[in-house]
Amino acid sequence: MLPHLFRVHQVHRETVDTFTLQLDPVDERGAVSFVPGQFNMLYLPGAGEVPISVSGDPAQAKHLTHTIRSVGAVTKVMDKLKRGDLLAVRGPFGTHWPVEEAEGNDIVIIAGGLGLAPLRPAFYQVLSDREKYNKVVLLYGARTPQDLLYRHELERWRGLLDVQVEVTVDSPVGGWHGDVGVITTLIPRGHFDPARTVALVCGPEIMMRYTVMELEKREVSQNKIFVSIERNMKCATGFCGHCQLGPIFICKDGPIFRFDLVKDWLGKRDI
Ligand SMILES: Cc1cc2nc3c(=O)[nH]c(=O)nc-3n(C[C@H](O)[C@H](O)[C@H](O)COP(=O)(O)OP(=O)(O)OC[C@H]3O[C@@H](n4cnc5c(N)ncnc54)[C@H](O)[C@@H]3O)c2cc1C
């Protein structure tokens, strides 16, 4: 529950409304270690506290990395942070992507928009343990080419000979010559064996629903599909109930869930 002070080491602008912060702990009590999929509560005095997934490399224990979209009261103030500024961090919280559990299988990572941020740590881990997996596939979709996160890394990952990386955009504005269409159009082209595939999916809820439907068409079973769910959150420790979804608390039971265990609650309003 106790926040620890961190100093902004670097701010990197990803897109017009999204930025990545690299944070250093001010003292040894600030934790930078985490497992892929976990999130922290970031607190800026005078603005407020928000849950944000860790988006950095879990093997790189020096900085804490968060990619944030500036959408409202708190994140818009965070968008003004500069190198040297302070903020407070609680965490890490929550469940993780089953990256180690998927060893020996094909692994398919499917991200929509900002969903690549919580999935990037999982992809880093898979790449660093590449020999433990069969096929590795990353499918990424954004609204426009200007909304693509981590563009230089995507280009580098695409150059790897033993990983399939496919990128699509909804609208090809600004001289895009790559794939155009929603992310589900990439799934039939994924080089994976459905019988031994674990899929990690993150993006807007509607995108996750259609992605799961398309994976099911390829006969990936629902208990091998994992999704990350977002809800408004306050305490992050299962007390306040802000993030309750039916019988579950997203903060302590999630945010990563096996799809078949949460499918009945997804898309239902006001619960
Ligand atoms: C586990 C978890 C991980 C997250 N990881 C990231 C991340 O890596 N990067 C990132 O940019 N954001 C992430 N989010 C979402 C982020 O927490 C919200 O965007 C943030 O709380 C908005 O706060 P605000 O005060 O800036 O906006 P507000 O003024 O509170 O809201 C602006 C708009 O966003 C909506 N909103 C607020 N919170 C959420 C939410 N949690 N889900 C959906 N809509 C919301 C509001 O209803 C409103 O329409 C995550 C959320 C959760 C629960």
Side-chain angles (χ1 to χ4, degrees), residues 50-53 67-69 71-75 114 230-232:
V50 285
I52 303 288
S53 305
T67 300
I68 305 172
R69 178 163 291 160
V71 292
V74 181
T75 49
L114 190 60
E230 281 190 14
R231 284 291 181 279
N232 286 321

Side-chain angles (χ1 to χ4, degrees), residues 112-115 202-209:
L114 190 60
C202 187
E205 269 183 31
I206 182 90
M207 167 265 172
M208 294 198 287
R209 283 196 154 274

Side-chain angles (χ1 to χ4, degrees), residues 3 6 17 22 44-45 54 61-62 64 70 74 77 80 101 114 123 130 169 181 204 230 245 256:
F6 279 69
D17 62 359
Q22 279 201 338
L44 208 50
V54 189
K62 198 161 170 247
L64 191 57
S70 173
V74 181
V77 182
K80 298 194 175 78
E101 295 84 335
L114 190 60
F123 194 59
R130 179 65 190 85
V169 298
E230 281 190 14
L245 179 64
I256 316 297

Side-chain angles (χ1 to χ4, degrees), residues 199-217:
L200 316 182
V201 184
C202 187
E205 269 183 31
I206 182 90
M207 167 265 172
M208 294 198 287
R209 283 196 154 274
Y210 280 103
T211 296
V212 171
M213 281 160 63
E214 207 56 42
L215 286 169
E216 285 187 285
K217 279 192 207 156

Side-chain angles (χ1 to χ4, degrees), residues 17-19 37-41 47-55 65-78 93-94 114-119 149-150 202 205 228-234 243 250-251 254-256:
D17 62 359
T18 306
F19 56 99
Q38 286 193 304
F39 68 94
N40 280 311
M41 297 298 289
E49 194 181 37
V50 285
I52 303 288
S53 305
V54 189
S55 66
T65 304
H66 288 285
T67 300
I68 305 172
R69 178 163 291 160
S70 173
V71 292
V74 181
T75 49
K76 281 192 172 142
V77 182
M78 287 181 174
F93 298 110
L114 190 60
L116 187 56
L119 279 167
L149 294 182
Y150 317 132
C202 187
E205 269 183 31
S228 177
I229 302 181
E230 281 190 14
R231 284 291 181 279
N232 286 321
M233 229 174 241
K234 210 161 186 71
C243 69
I250 305 294
C251 64
I256 316 297

Side-chain angles (χ1 to χ4, degrees), residues 16-34:
V16 106
D17 62 359
T18 306
F19 56 99
T20 295
L21 298 178
Q22 279 201 338
L23 307 172
D24 289 334
V26 164
D27 58 45
E28 68 288 346
R29 288 170 305 162
V32 290
S33 60
F34 70 102

